[in-house]
């Protein structure tokens, strides 16, 4: 499962991957990411939405939903 997660992460668009890593692995807030990347908060929120959507789709067979 960890290998699949890393593969999904590697295949994210570059900017989306950067935002995701900054958030989930580095513990930065969306506001901090926006400032560090010189982009809008809305843009960072959009990146996070895209990355989470991709992860959910690719990992759907591994997720326990509605138990």
């Amino acid at each position: 499962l960890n290998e699949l997660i890393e593969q999904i992460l590697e295949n994210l668009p570059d900017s989306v991957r950067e935002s995701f890593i900054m958030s989930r692995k580095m513990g930065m807030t969306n506001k901090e990411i926006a400032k560090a990347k010189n982009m809008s908060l809305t843009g960072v929120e959009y990146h996070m939405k895209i990355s989470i959507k991709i992860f959910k789709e690719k990992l759907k067979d591994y997720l326990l939903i509605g138990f």
Side-chain angles (χ1 to χ4, degrees), residues 8-62:
I8 296 167
L9 184 60
E10 288 175 14
N11 288 322
L12 291 175
D14 292 342
S15 191
V16 173
R17 181 175 58 250
E18 287 174 4
S19 295
F20 186 85
I21 289 170
M22 292 170 93
S23 173
R24 297 304 196 257
K25 291 191 175 186
M26 298 171 67
M28 296 174 71
T29 66
N30 288 354
K31 188 174 181 180
E32 291 170 332
I33 296 167
K35 186 174 181 180
K37 293 181 72 173
N38 195 30
M39 63 185 294
S40 70
L41 179 59
T42 305
V44 173
E45 291 168 346
Y46 180 70
H47 283 175
M48 297 309 297
K49 180 179 176 180
I50 289 173
S51 61
I52 291 168
K53 181 179 177 182
I54 291 170
F55 272 100
K56 280 184 178 180
E57 174 61 30
K58 300 289 185 180
L59 296 172
K60 67 183 175 201
D61 294 335
Y62 299 91

Side-chain angles (χ1 to χ4, degrees), residues 1-8 59:
L1 185 58
N2 286 334
E3 290 177 20
L4 178 58
I5 291 169
E6 287 301 318
Q7 182 181 12
I8 296 167
L59 296 172

